[in-house]
Amino acid sequence: MDATLSCSIAKVFQGCTHRLCMWHIMSKMPSKIEVDLVSNSDFKKRINQLVWNMNIKPSEFENKWDLMLNEFHLKENKWLADMFNKRDKRIPSYFTDIPMCGLMKTTSRSESSNSFFNVFSSPTNLIVNFMFNFNNALSKQRHEQKRLNIASRDTSPQLLFPNENLKIEKHASLVSFDAKDETIECECLHFTFFGILCSHALRILIDYDIAMIPEKYILDRWRKNIVDIGFQKINQKWRVCST
């Protein structure tokens, strides 16, 4: 990445965490490594298990990375060396302590938006056509949101252990709100990174016979009522909504 752009991002978006897109980096690999090696299933498995794995410590990543380079004779590959030097900008294990909510990337968001709107529009559209098509796209999204709201309200997910009568599992599926004061810290940092309690934390809650997930561990982004029903009303279609 251009050093000037990286510096500018840090100045303009203060307090934000800037990371490199792993998908774009890995998509360049065929042009940076020998063809025979890129098609090697063992190599692809090894490198993917390293670069996408957030459940290993940085020291473990570095050791396994070094072993992989030795095994496949890639010590002299300049591109891989450069990628290793930027590991703290792209490898998940280096920023598990930063809230990333599942590592949703700007590139992922923009590409998914492009894919969605491309179904309704084309580059040849006039501005009037574009507005009609854009409106149709939003109507489809609102319809899907309402459908999911109904499904979420009227159904419950299948429990993994229905015969064991785990109250906390039932609460996790319904997400009712009963504030508690418990604090749980786990070295896997799953809640910090994804915003969802890990199995280790849930095990502690079960051991202490806690039937409700503490309020502070239910983030707004997972609540069923996070999208105000008023936002979906027809009179909000072309208005700016503060929420």
Side-chain angles (χ1 to χ4, degrees):
M1 179 177 181
D2 183 82
T4 304
L5 181 58
S6 181
C7 183
S8 299
I9 291 175
K11 290 182 179 180
V12 176
F13 299 101
Q14 296 181 12
C16 293
T17 301
H18 175 234
R19 291 293 177 261
L20 302 180
C21 176
M22 183 69 77
W23 183 87
H24 279 102
I25 291 174
M26 295 302 289
S27 65
K28 295 179 180 179
M29 193 167 64
S31 64
K32 306 294 184 178
I33 299 176
E34 294 181 5
V35 176
D36 293 341
L37 194 56
V38 172
S39 59
N40 185 312
S41 59
D42 184 39
F43 172 74
K44 289 194 295 184
K45 181 180 179 180
R46 290 275 296 279
I47 194 170
N48 282 326
Q49 286 178 340
L50 280 179
V51 301
W52 296 104
N53 192 351
M54 64 161 288
N55 295 316
I56 62 175
K57 300 295 183 182
S59 58
E60 184 180 356
F61 167 80
E62 292 170 10
N63 290 334
K64 290 185 176 181
W65 181 268
D66 193 55
L67 289 173
M68 181 188 69
L69 295 186
N70 284 326
E71 182 176 340
F72 293 98
H73 309 291
L74 292 169
K75 277 287 189 178
E76 303 303 320
N77 187 288
K78 294 182 179 180
W79 182 74
L80 287 176
D82 184 43
M83 291 301 99
F84 180 77
N85 291 334
K86 298 176 181 177
R87 59 192 180 279
D88 61 324
K89 292 288 187 182
R90 65 185 187 97
I91 302 299
S93 61
Y94 284 86
F95 41 90
T96 55
D97 59 331
I98 300 174
M100 302 286 282
C101 293
L103 204 60
M104 180 59 176
K105 311 172 193 69
T106 53
T107 45
S108 301
R109 180 169 296 181
S110 63
E111 292 299 333
S112 62
S113 298
N114 288 340
S115 177
F116 175 77
F117 284 110
N118 281 340
V119 175
F120 298 88
S121 62
S122 72
T124 59
N125 282 159
L126 299 175
I127 185 65
V128 174
N129 302 123
F130 171 78
M131 291 303 297
F132 276 114
N133 292 335
F134 184 78
N135 187 43
N136 288 336
L138 293 185
S139 296
K140 177 179 173 59
Q141 285 188 323
R142 292 190 178 96
H143 173 77
E144 182 66 8
Q145 179 70 42
K146 291 178 181 179
R147 186 188 69 79
L148 293 174
N149 283 345
I150 293 173
S152 179
R153 184 186 66 231
D154 298 338
T155 61
S156 295
Q158 183 178 355
L159 302 181
L160 294 176
F161 307 101
N163 297 328
E164 297 185 25
N165 194 31
L166 299 180
K167 295 178 182 179
I168 195 168
E169 187 185 21
K170 293 181 180 179
H171 180 243
S173 69
L174 300 175
V175 192
S176 57
F177 310 136
D178 184 13
K180 299 288 182 179
D181 194 34
E182 291 85 357
T183 296
I184 303 174
E185 294 183 2
C186 182
E187 64 178 10
C188 77
L189 298 175
H190 193 276
F191 179 80
T192 302
F193 191 77
F194 284 106
I196 302 174
L197 286 178
C198 61
S199 58
H200 318 113
L202 293 176
R203 180 71 256 177
I204 295 298
L205 294 177
I206 293 171
D207 287 345
Y208 280 87
D209 197 29
I210 297 174
M212 297 287 189
I213 297 175
E215 176 77 5
K216 57 190 170 185
Y217 295 119
I218 307 175
L219 302 185
D220 284 344
R221 67 183 293 113
W222 307 129
R223 298 184 189 272
K224 293 184 177 182
N225 61 349
I226 189 60
V227 179
D228 192 328
I229 192 66
F231 186 69
Q232 302 179 37
K233 292 181 179 179
I234 192 67
N235 63 353
Q236 293 287 352
K237 183 177 291 187
W238 300 112
R239 292 176 58 190
V240 176
C241 183
S242 61
T243 58

